[in-house]
Amino acid sequence: MSFNLLKGKRGIIFGALDENSIAWKTAETVHAEGGTFVLTNAPIAMRMGQIDELAKKTGATIVAADATSEEDLDNLVAKSMEILGGKIDFVLHAIGMSVNVRKSRPYTDQKYDFTAKGWDVSALSFHKVMQSLYKADAMSEWGSIVALTYMAAQRTFPDYNDMADNKAYLESIARSFGYFFGKEKRVRVNTISQSPTPTTAGQGVKGFNSFINYAEKMSPLGNASAQDCAEYTVTLFSDYTKKVTMQNLFHDGGFSSTGVSQEVVDGFKE
């Protein structure tokens, strides 16, 4: 069901890879709600995914950009305003990658050039994206910028590795840049701390299937799906959340506030 929550709004969506991606689901939902947007991803990710299919489905234009490159991002922002015909109303940053995780290096034996690359892609890129938008005065008043994060930024999940550090840094950037964007541009900046979700990136974490089952049993409402997250993101892009900013918003079925569930306790009974 569509409510035209984003009718007339323009945006940029980072990170759509395939139909399992939260960014992919968000693009479909934004389109259904009347929004128009540019899709972007790194050239190598675009070759691996099916972003062309999403663009055709939603009428979006694709502009390739490496989110770690200031030059690419400045070009993306300028082209997006040209393509969309005005300033940007919403941005989704759905980017995350750990080379240490991909190479199966434990947290206690990181290769630091891998660490630096993952940090640049997963966290610093969020600052770079916002800096490009800020310097170009590209955001509309009361616009909304959202990044995806995970509760490993606050609590320890051993196999999440250095991505936990990246997410903590990402959330700090949202608060810090959110202050300046709010005071000077009337733009909102928030992060969504999502349930473990079976995206291509998520499934690369060791023991992911076991953990998603555990989270399902711990969450009073059950895990939030990629589609659930897309719909929540649309509310943050809409005018109904104009005074929500600098927040890390847990979207996890209650997992983050649950000490232990009866289902988990029952699993330990003799």
Side-chain angles (χ1 to χ4, degrees), residues 33 68 109 130 138 183 194:
E33 291 294 341
T68 67
D109 185 29
M130 288 196 283
K183 288 288 287 186
Q194 166 71 1

Side-chain angles (χ1 to χ4, degrees), residues 151 155 157 211 214-223 250 252-265:
M151 198 175 65
R155 301 185 188 178
F157 296 88
F211 182 67
Y214 169 75
E216 179 71 23
K217 290 182 178 180
M218 276 285 289
S219 308
L221 296 179
N223 291 329
F250 290 100
D252 59 7
F255 180 92
S256 53
S257 294
T258 303
V260 69
S261 68
Q262 191 61 50
E263 291 90 338
V264 170
V265 169

Side-chain angles (χ1 to χ4, degrees), residues 48-96:
M48 292 168 56
Q50 297 98 42
I51 195 171
D52 288 340
E53 176 187 332
L54 179 62
K56 290 177 183 176
K57 187 175 184 179
T58 59
T61 300
I62 302 169
V63 178
D66 177 350
T68 67
S69 165
E70 295 172 65
E71 183 179 353
D72 278 14
L73 290 172
D74 289 345
N75 177 64
L76 169 67
V77 169
K79 281 193 172 180
S80 295
M81 287 194 289
E82 180 182 333
I83 291 164
L84 297 170
K87 289 190 175 185
I88 306 302
D89 299 297
F90 60 87
V91 176
L92 175 65
H93 179 284
I95 307 169

